[in-house]
Every structure is written in C-alpha cells, then in structure tokens.
Amino acid sequence: MGFIIAEILEKLKKQSFHSRCAVCKATSQMDAETKEAFIDVMRSSVTVKAIVEALNTVGVQISRYQLCEARRECIKVSKPCETFKGEQK
C-alpha cells in the first residue's frame, strides 16, 4: 500500500511542477483587455470575495483561497510570477 501511495504522490508532484497555478491558468485564457483589468483589480483594494463573485458570474472558477494566495505570494512578495510580474514560474 505504501508503494501505491508513494507512486500516486510522485505523479501529483510531477503534474503540479509542470502546470501553472489556477490564477495563472485562468488569466492565460483571458483576452488582453480582460487580463489587464483583472491584474489591475488584483493590485487594488477590492476584496477577494468581490473579485471571486465577479469572476464566477462569467464562468471563471477560482476560489477565494487561490486568489488570496496569488495576491499574497505573487503580488506582495518577491515570488516570480509570469502573470503579475512578467517572469517565468
């Protein structure tokens, strides 16, 4: 059983290493105007709850947790982020 779990976890690690975060994925599917507006609102003082609700109304499924992480890690901390800082993750 331990081997099976280790194998599953290793596959998850490889998958997450090669994929971007949910916020970056959603942003990559936005047109240029929408992407610019999204990045601008993420850098503003608009609440995460309000942003999530707005995105959900147009079918973009991002959780409050995911947006909080992006706001904290990708915008406010010096973490490289292709979406918010133009760098490669």
Side-chain angles (χ1 to χ4, degrees), residues 7-88:
E7 192 174 282
I8 292 169
L9 295 174
E10 186 63 31
K11 285 180 183 178
L12 288 173
K13 183 179 164 186
K14 287 178 182 178
Q15 288 173 356
S16 67
F17 178 76
H18 294 292
S19 65
R20 294 181 289 181
C21 74
V23 175
C24 288
K25 283 182 185 178
T27 305
S28 71
Q29 297 171 355
M30 296 176 181
D31 61 68
E33 184 180 353
T34 304
K35 182 178 179 177
E36 185 178 330
F38 173 69
I39 291 170
D40 187 47
V41 80
M42 284 291 288
R43 289 186 172 131
S44 74
S45 62
V46 173
T47 66
V48 168
K49 183 178 185 241
I51 297 169
V52 168
E53 288 174 356
L55 292 173
N56 287 338
T57 63
V58 294
V60 178
Q61 297 298 311
I62 296 178
S63 71
R64 289 171 62 183
Y65 174 80
Q66 290 166 325
L67 278 186
C68 284
E69 282 289 304
R71 209 176 227 182
R72 182 176 63 249
E73 296 293 324
C74 301
I75 295 174
K76 295 182 179 176
V77 178
S78 61
K79 176 182 175 184
C81 177
E82 87 179 36
T83 300
F84 296 102
K85 295 186 178 128
E87 301 170 13
Q88 294 297 316

